[in-house]
């Protein structure tokens, strides 16, 4: 093999770092040290349709700002790991997509930003981008959840349809689920889809962590009561267990008429349900206080400066607050998220006929609960949830949730302190 010259060897090493950071899926990020250029780079995750939305936003920015260039870097797998690798190597993009749930772990690598809460439909949207009282990203999309209901199943059972705007209480939802459940084996129709404990904990008014993320609170009275609620729903066969649905798509169960309600309906689910005409369906609020709402934002590399920093600030402000950008969150009948400014609210609502009530997303957006951001959250909550599913009937175990959850919460709290 021909020996590489030093310059070639350096280039090969650099390429290897970029490949590790996921840059093989798009153009390599422009250097953040190129202070005389109006060119910036933008990293993001997502499906084909989600990537299409973000590329469209970048194109709209270039059109609105002649002479600028946004080089997109679509990272299709292991996004956060590759983002961390690029940051460690100093090859990160100028602008990086980040979820509020992961913000705490990346905040030290992001530049502080100025965010005006008054530009969004509700304060939780902007506060989701805060860590320790400072803004480290600007919001651009929200992902509240709503509940789909099989209206044919309700009519057949003689059960009145829930309100299109006012949530059921948890007790009302349980009673309705009981009336809608019938049959045996694979022919059984469940009143509810599988219940996501963390979501229903929020719906019940509880939380996984306290407000300043110093303690795990799912082991308190509300947490235990909610866990027992989920266990009882499964025991009575009003909802399938995690074992029942293992490896299966609950949206397909709904399409097959096996679920009367589907409570894990995010904006990304719209495209799948748009194909369903039978059974007839519509959307209503999730019971209680609703599920946690994810907010996605745009962070700016801490080492960005000069013209690049100026352009990056313009780009994130554009994506966050301009209707021409917010409208791009909707591509056909696919939604990356729910627009966060009032002017773009109708964009999603008009994707499907009024009878489908996509306006439920706007209602959920205005009241959405945003969880506090926790460093190493995925690992900490993952360990806790592994214990729940292993030891209690929330998963495959048999131990009493009243005994197990407080113990797991204490271990979780100790992990937060490390």
């Amino acid at each position: 093999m021909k020996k590489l010259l030093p310059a070639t060897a350096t280039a090969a090493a650099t390429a290897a770092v970029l490949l590790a950071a996921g840059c093989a899926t798009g153009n390599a990020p422009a250097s953040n040290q190129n202070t005389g250029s109006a060119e910036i780079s933008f990293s993001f995750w997502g499906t084909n349709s989600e990537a299409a939305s973000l590329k469209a936003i970048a194109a709209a920015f270039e059109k609105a700002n002649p002479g600028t260039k946004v080089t997109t870097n679509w990272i299709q797998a292991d996004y956060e790991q590759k983002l961390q690798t690029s940051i460690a190597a100093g090859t990160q993009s100028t602008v990086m997509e980040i979820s509020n749930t992961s913000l705490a772990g990346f905040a030290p690598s992001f530049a502080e930003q100025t965010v005006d809460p008054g530009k969004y439909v509700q304060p939780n949207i902007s506060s989701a981008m805060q860590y320790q009282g400072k803004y480290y990203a600007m919001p651009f999309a929200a992902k509240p959840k709503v509940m789909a209901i099989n209206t044919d199943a309700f009519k057949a059972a003689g059960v009145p349809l829930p309100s299109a705007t006012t949530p059921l209480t948890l007790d009302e939802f349980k009673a309705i689920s009981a009336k809608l459940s019938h049959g045996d084996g694979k022919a059984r129709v469940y009143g509810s889809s599988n219940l996501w404990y963390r979501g229903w904990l929020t719906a019940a008014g509880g939380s996984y962590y306290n407000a300043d993320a110093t303690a795990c609170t799912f082991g308190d009275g509300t947490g235990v009561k909610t866990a027992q609620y989920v266990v009882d729903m499964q025991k009575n066969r009003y909802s399938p267990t995690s074992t029942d649905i293992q490896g299966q798509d609950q949206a397909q169960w709904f399409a097959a008429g096996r679920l009367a309600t589907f409570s894990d309906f995010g904006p990304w689910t719209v495209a799948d349900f748009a194909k369903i005409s039978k059974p007839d369906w519509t959307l209503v609020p999730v019971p209680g206080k609703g599920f946690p709402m994810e907010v996605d934002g745009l962070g700016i590399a801490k080492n960005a400066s000069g013209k690049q920093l100026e352009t990056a600030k313009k780009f994130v402000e554009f994506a966050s607050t301009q209707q021409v950008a917010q409208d791009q969150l909707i591509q056909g009948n696919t939604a990356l998220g729910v627009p966060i400014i009032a002017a773009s609210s109708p964009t999603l609502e008009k994707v499907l006929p009024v009878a489908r009530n996509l306006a439920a997303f706007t209602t959920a957006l205005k009241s959405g609960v945003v969880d506090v951001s926790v460093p190493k959250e995925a690992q900490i909550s993952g360990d806790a949830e592994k214990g729940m599913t292993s030891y209690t009937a929330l998963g495959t175990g048999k131990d009493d949730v009243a005994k197990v959850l407080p113990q797991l919460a204490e271990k979780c709290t100790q992990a937060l302190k490390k």
Side-chain angles (χ1 to χ4, degrees), residues 181-210:
S181 300
H182 59 86
D184 298 303
K186 292 185 178 181
R188 182 166 182 77
V189 173
Y190 294 91
S192 167
S193 54
N194 177 253
L195 304 185
W196 173 41
Y197 168 68
R198 189 164 178 174
W200 287 89
L201 174 60
T202 303
S207 62
Y208 222 73
Y209 308 102
N210 62 357

Side-chain angles (χ1 to χ4, degrees), residues 87-349:
I87 290 171
T91 60
Q92 72 270 36
S93 292
T94 324
V95 176
M96 294 159 277
E97 182 182 8
I98 195 71
S99 167
N100 69 292
T101 58
S102 302
L103 181 63
F106 286 88
S109 301
F110 291 164
E112 192 176 337
Q113 296 192 41
T114 300
V115 179
D116 180 0
K119 293 184 176 181
Y120 312 109
V121 296
Q122 67 114 328
N124 270 0
I125 292 170
S126 56
S127 64
M129 297 292 100
Q130 284 185 312
Y131 178 62
Q132 296 182 342
K134 298 178 180 180
Y135 291 105
Y136 286 101
M138 190 168 290
F140 78 95
K143 297 176 178 177
K145 291 185 178 181
V146 294
M147 183 168 71
I149 63 170
N150 177 336
T151 57
D152 290 340
F154 274 74
K155 292 174 182 177
V159 178
L161 298 182
S163 167
T165 56
T166 303
L168 296 165
T169 67
L170 269 65
D171 286 342
E172 287 172 337
F173 178 72
K174 189 174 185 178
I176 286 175
S177 296
K179 294 177 181 178
L180 294 169
S181 300
H182 59 86
D184 298 303
K186 292 185 178 181
R188 182 166 182 77
V189 173
Y190 294 91
S192 167
S193 54
N194 177 253
L195 304 185
W196 173 41
Y197 168 68
R198 189 164 178 174
W200 287 89
L201 174 60
T202 303
S207 62
Y208 222 73
Y209 308 102
N210 62 357
D212 59 2
T214 57
C216 299
T217 53
F218 58 80
D220 64 10
T222 302
V224 171
K225 183 178 179 180
T226 304
Q228 192 60 57
Y229 178 93
V230 173
V231 170
D232 289 345
M233 286 280 286
Q234 294 177 165
K235 182 179 179 181
N236 291 317
R237 308 299 287 161
Y238 303 156
S239 68
T241 67
S242 56
T243 301
D244 292 330
I245 65 167
Q246 189 171 16
Q248 300 179 62
D249 185 348
Q250 287 194 92
Q252 293 181 357
W253 278 39
F254 186 93
R258 294 198 63 194
L259 300 176
T261 66
F262 180 82
S263 59
D264 197 24
F265 194 111
W268 56 88
T269 317
V270 172
D272 288 337
F273 271 61
K275 304 171 187 175
I276 301 174
S277 58
K278 191 67 177 177
D280 193 21
W281 62 274
T282 190
L283 300 178
V284 300
V286 171
K289 297 182 180 297
F291 285 0
M293 179 173 72
E294 179 184 352
V295 178
D296 291 338
L298 301 175
I300 298 175
K302 198 171 186 178
N303 65 346
S305 59
K307 189 67 173 178
Q308 265 197 335
L309 177 58
E310 179 184 334
T311 303
K313 288 181 177 179
K314 287 182 179 179
F315 176 67
V316 300
E317 177 80 15
F318 175 84
S320 177
T321 65
Q322 298 301 303
Q323 184 177 356
V324 66
Q326 286 283 294
D327 285 351
Q328 297 300 329
L329 295 175
I330 316 304
Q331 298 288 316
N333 58 18
T334 301
L336 182 153
V338 177
I340 58 176
I341 62 171
S344 290
S345 293
T347 307
L348 176 60
E349 294 176 14

